[in-house]
């Protein structure tokens, strides 16, 4: 594990890029007031981490839920829930007094997850369809928000995080599990992740690399006021190139 201070120091090399005027026609209208993210994006659903049995064999969900301090009564949003690997395990952990909201933008995944929840009789789970730049979460509702192996697929991270942030309860935190590799190869370098979250007014609370995850775990909390969209400074790529070229 690299020292947290060293990783945070790398963030400074990524921040402060001034966005150049460009044509926003290729961006969702709902994102155009936010800066463009100067990084490639992985194709949706083109990469599977591994099977659920393989992930359980190495104890992935157990490790993540323990690190995130998920317990009875916790309220969790599972963004990019997919087939429900984390959703069903979170539902068991939080119990009858907790709640899990599973969110995805893929109608097929939503349908299959709904069938699974009904089949397994998970009464403490709800499902919602999100948007690429908006998870559509109710405000002040969650103790933890999970972004597991999906953040690198978010093409408009500043709009996405800006709209996600109000959903946290006081003391609530965002959990990211991902892999340290380029964003077009289904991962995101930690320094770039830290920079994008910092630009949205989040503070890194914990960062660890774990073999059970085949990647890393990062935990963030919101501090201060949410920045105005026009005041957000986009981050450079992990290679240190500015987007305004």
């Amino acid at each position: 594990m690299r020292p947290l201070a060293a990783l945070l120091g790398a963030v400074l090399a990524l921040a402060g890029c001034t966005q150049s005027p460009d044509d926003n026609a290729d961006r969702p209208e709902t994102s155009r007031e936010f800066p463009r993210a100067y990084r490639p994006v992985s194709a949706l659903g083109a990469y599977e981490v591994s099977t659920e049995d393989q992930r359980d064999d190495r104890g992935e969900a157990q490790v993540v839920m323990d690190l995130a301090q998920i317990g009875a009564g916790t309220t969790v949003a599972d963004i990019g829930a997919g087939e429900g690997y984390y959703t069903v395990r979170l539902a068991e952990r939080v119990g009858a007094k907790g709640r899990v909201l599973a969110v995805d933008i893929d109608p097929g995944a939503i349908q299959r997850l709904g069938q699974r929840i009904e089949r397994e009789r998970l009464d403490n789970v709800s499902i919602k369809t999100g948007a690429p730049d908006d998870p559509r979460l109710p405000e002040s509702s969650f103790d933890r928000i999970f972004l597991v192996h999906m953040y690198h697929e978010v093409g408009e991270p500043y709009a996405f995080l800006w709209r996600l942030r109000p959903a946290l309860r006081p003391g609530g935190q965002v959990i990211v599990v991902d892999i340290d590799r380029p964003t077009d190869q289904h991962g995101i370098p930690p320094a770039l992740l830290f920079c994008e979250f910092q630009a949205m007014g989040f503070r890194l609370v914990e960062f660890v690399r774990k073999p059970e995850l085949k990647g890393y775990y990062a935990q963030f909390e919101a501090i201060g006021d949410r920045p105005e969209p026009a005041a957000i400074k986009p981050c450079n790529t992990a290679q240190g190139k500015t987007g305004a070229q």
Side-chain angles (χ1 to χ4, degrees):
M1 181 176 70
R2 295 173 59 188
L4 184 59
L7 286 167
L8 289 173
V11 173
L12 298 177
L14 301 177
C17 170
T18 301
Q19 185 179 16
S20 62
D22 59 11
D23 183 2
N24 282 323
D26 62 330
R27 303 177 66 199
E29 290 187 12
T30 52
S31 299
R32 294 178 187 174
E33 65 178 317
F34 298 90
R36 181 187 292 273
Y38 293 108
R39 59 169 171 87
V41 179
S42 296
L44 294 174
Y47 174 77
E48 292 293 337
V49 179
S50 52
T51 68
E52 292 198 7
D53 286 343
Q54 290 171 330
R55 296 171 84 175
D56 277 345
D57 285 346
R58 63 176 183 261
E60 177 186 330
Q62 182 75 28
V63 167
V64 171
M65 291 189 295
D66 287 349
L67 287 169
Q69 298 180 316
I70 304 299
T74 307
T75 302
V76 187
D78 182 16
I79 312 300
E83 303 297 322
Y85 174 72
Y86 272 90
T87 298
V88 299
R89 288 155 181 81
L90 285 165
E92 181 179 2
R93 178 73 75 94
V94 305
K97 294 184 178 180
R99 296 293 301 174
V100 178
L101 176 63
V103 181
D104 208 287
I105 64 172
D106 180 355
I110 288 288
Q111 182 179 21
R112 292 188 296 274
L113 182 55
Q115 292 169 347
R116 181 176 187 177
I117 290 170
E118 183 176 353
R119 183 172 63 250
E120 298 189 24
R121 298 181 178 180
L122 301 177
D123 295 332
N124 59 350
V125 176
S126 301
I127 300 176
K128 190 167 191 174
T129 301
D133 62 351
D134 185 356
R136 296 173 175 167
L137 302 177
E139 291 189 14
S140 303
S141 297
F142 300 100
D143 303 306
R144 299 289 186 269
I145 297 177
F146 274 38
L147 308 176
V148 179
H149 294 296
M150 60 76 62
Y151 183 72
H152 54 260
E153 297 179 353
V154 177
E156 298 288 347
Y158 303 110
F160 182 88
L161 292 176
W162 194 86
R163 292 171 176 138
L164 174 151
R165 180 174 156 155
L168 290 168
R169 288 176 172 171
Q173 298 182 335
V174 180
I175 309 302
V176 178
V177 177
D178 223 310
I179 302 173
D180 185 355
R181 59 189 180 200
T183 52
D184 58 353
Q185 297 178 31
H186 294 277
I188 182 168
L192 181 56
L193 175 75
F194 301 162
C195 184
E196 291 184 351
F197 269 75
Q198 182 177 313
M200 303 310 302
F202 286 94
R203 181 179 75 87
L204 181 66
V205 175
E206 186 171 5
F207 178 84
V208 294
R209 297 181 190 269
K210 289 280 189 179
E212 296 91 340
L213 310 181
K214 290 191 173 181
Y216 61 79
Y217 169 99
Q219 188 166 330
F220 300 89
E221 65 180 4
I223 57 173
D225 296 327
R226 185 174 61 164
E228 292 298 323
I232 298 168
K233 295 181 179 180
C235 300
N236 302 338
T237 67
Q239 290 75 32
K241 299 175 183 177
T242 59
Q245 292 184 356

